[in-house]
């Protein structure tokens, strides 16, 4: 996956207060070791068909041969209409979760803890996409320094892309590399945890007002378990924001993600919200700053139901 060059380290950053590490069920990453060759890839689910996307075919199979959606992401979009923004409108979800265990296999099934043990102080989307996401956050996140607000940045790293100088009393980062989390200046505390090993989130019920996840939802191998946990720890009407692009470590992304396109990805994330239960109907937003010229950027979001 193409990444931008690492930003130079600033000595001043070392003098700021370090975020506090939470001692809940997290385990620190392994020490750096020699790379382990990927295990043999498990058979991947193959979808064939003309005139419909992979996800439309999944929906057809799950609904007994009839398309469960009025919109086909693979169709040529009308000018000015984003297929991503249309894909979750008027969805008739299949009765049962439409994906199979093999859809969550990866080309590289070796330890994620080992894969992320070496810090990567880089950004995984370009500057234009980052600015678009930061602007989106400025519109939807609670105002900085709002009393009582708590935010969880899930699958976090050394940067969260929140607005400049954004602060809350409680901003928790959950990620895979402690060195990266220590460098994240917006965090007040952090947890090191592999959600693919342990999807149980170490927080009390109704803790957070907002959960964010940037370009990492495609790596979750137990997404329904994670989304159920998200629902549990969100406050009533709490907001969950999943953002993604078309960039990833493809050997670690799940099979159903690497074999589908952008609008399908929005449908997949929407399905996670739907089948986890307890969320309002998910919505998709295309915030791509320069379609076709710079990295695309998409958001699928939902709120925890209040009743």
């Amino acid at each position: 996956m193409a990444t931008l060059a690492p930003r130079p380290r600033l000595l001043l950053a070392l003098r700021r207060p370090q975020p506090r590490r939470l001692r809940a069920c997290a385990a620190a990453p392994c020490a750096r070791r020699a790379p382990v060759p990927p295990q043999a890839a498990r058979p991947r689910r193959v979808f064939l068909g003309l005139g419909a996307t992979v996800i439309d075919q999944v929906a057809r199979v799950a609904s007994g041969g009839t398309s469960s959606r009025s919109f086909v992401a693979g169709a040529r979009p009308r000018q000015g209409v984003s297929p991503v923004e249309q894909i979750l409108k008027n969805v008739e979800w299949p009765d049962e979760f439409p994906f199979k265990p093999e859809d969550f296999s990866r080309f590289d099934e070796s330890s994620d803890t080992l894969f992320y043990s070496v810090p990567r102080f880089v950004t995984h989307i370009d500057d234009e996409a980052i600015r678009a996401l930061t602007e989106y956050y400025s519109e939807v996140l609670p105002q900085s320094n709002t009393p009582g607000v708590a935010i969880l940045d899930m699958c976090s790293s050394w940067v969260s892309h929140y607005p400049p100088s954004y602060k809350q009393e409680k901003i928790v980062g959950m990620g895979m590399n402690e060195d990266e989390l220590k460098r994240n200046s917006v965090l007040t505390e952090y947890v090191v945890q592999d959600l693919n090993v342990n999807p149980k989130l170490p927080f009390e019920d109704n803790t957070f007002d907002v959960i964010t996840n940037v370009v990492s939802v495609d790596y979750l191998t137990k997404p329904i378990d994670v989304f159920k946990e998200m629902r549990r720890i969100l406050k009533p009407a709490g907001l969950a924001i999943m953002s993604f692009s078309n960039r990833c470590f493809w050997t670690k992304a799940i099979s159903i993600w690497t074999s589908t396109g952008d609008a399908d990805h929005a449908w997949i994330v929407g399905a996670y919200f739907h089948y986890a239960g307890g969320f309002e109907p998910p919505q998709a937003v295309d915030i791509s700053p320069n379609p076709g010229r710079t990295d695309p950027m998409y958001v699928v979001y939902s709120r925890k139901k209040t009743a």
Side-chain angles (χ1 to χ4, degrees):
M1 180 192 73
T3 58
L4 303 184
R7 297 179 182 177
R9 299 191 180 192
L10 299 178
L11 294 179
L12 290 176
L14 299 178
R15 301 194 184 110
R16 64 170 176 78
Q18 295 290 326
R20 177 170 59 91
R21 179 175 180 179
L22 299 182
R23 292 290 181 181
C25 55
C30 299
R32 184 173 182 176
R33 289 174 278 178
V36 176
Q39 297 175 2
R42 285 187 256 172
R44 289 184 170 228
R45 195 175 180 193
V46 178
F47 303 92
L48 301 174
L50 298 174
T53 61
V54 170
I55 300 306
D56 196 60
Q57 294 175 63
V58 171
R60 285 178 183 273
V61 171
S63 60
T66 302
S67 176
S68 65
R69 298 189 287 115
S70 58
F71 180 84
V72 179
R76 185 181 299 276
R78 299 190 305 276
Q79 186 172 2
V81 177
S82 168
V84 169
E85 294 196 340
Q86 299 298 307
I87 197 72
L88 293 178
K89 293 183 177 180
N90 304 315
V91 180
E92 296 178 9
W93 298 103
D95 291 338
E96 297 182 358
F97 189 56
F99 303 117
K100 305 296 183 184
E102 56 264 33
D103 294 330
F104 300 98
S105 64
R106 286 94 50 84
F107 182 82
D108 178 3
E109 294 286 6
S110 64
S111 168
D112 291 336
T113 299
L114 178 59
F115 183 83
Y116 293 105
S117 63
V118 179
R120 296 176 174 89
F121 296 110
V122 297
T123 51
H124 302 293
I125 48 177
D126 63 25
D127 289 343
E128 290 81 0
I130 290 172
R131 280 193 290 269
L133 180 60
T134 299
E135 181 178 352
Y136 177 81
Y137 278 153
S138 71
E139 297 171 355
V140 301
L141 291 180
Q143 185 176 354
S144 190
N145 291 310
T146 300
V149 164
I151 296 178
L152 172 64
D153 188 28
M154 183 181 291
C155 303
S156 189
S157 180
W158 69 286
V159 61
S160 294
H161 306 308
Y162 293 171
S165 303
Y166 188 79
K167 294 183 183 300
Q168 297 294 353
E169 181 180 339
K170 183 183 183 72
I171 301 180
V172 182
M174 171 175 280
M176 291 287 291
N177 186 282
E178 186 168 13
D179 290 335
E180 292 179 5
L181 294 170
K182 284 180 179 179
R183 284 276 300 272
N184 192 328
S185 61
V186 77
L187 303 180
T188 60
E189 52 200 83
Y190 65 86
V191 177
V192 179
Q193 183 167 324
D194 184 348
L195 294 174
N196 290 338
V197 173
N198 177 19
K200 176 73 174 177
L201 301 180
F203 309 105
E204 298 295 327
D205 296 357
N206 306 315
T207 295
F208 294 99
D209 297 271
V210 181
I211 296 175
T212 59
N213 182 313
V214 180
V215 296
S216 296
V217 68
D218 46 325
Y219 302 121
L220 297 177
T221 61
K222 300 179 176 69
I224 297 301
D225 293 338
V226 172
F227 275 62
K228 286 180 177 179
E229 281 291 285
M230 288 165 48
R231 178 198 64 209
R232 179 183 65 79
I233 66 173
L234 277 172
K235 298 175 183 177
L239 178 64
I241 304 170
M242 306 289 110
S243 60
F244 53 91
S245 184
N246 62 359
R247 305 300 185 110
C248 66
F249 296 116
W250 73 269
T251 60
K252 283 296 186 180
I254 58 173
S255 175
I256 192 65
W257 194 275
T258 58
S259 60
T260 53
D262 292 346
D264 295 323
H265 296 161
W267 197 91
I268 292 169
V269 178
Y272 295 165
F273 279 117
H274 175 77
Y275 292 101
F279 286 101
E280 298 291 341
Q283 299 184 55
V285 182
D286 186 343
I287 61 172
S288 303
N290 302 292
R293 290 179 290 163
T294 58
D295 288 349
M297 202 69 211
Y298 311 109
V299 171
V300 174
Y301 69 92
S302 183
R303 289 187 180 274
K304 178 178 176 176
K305 291 181 177 180
T306 57

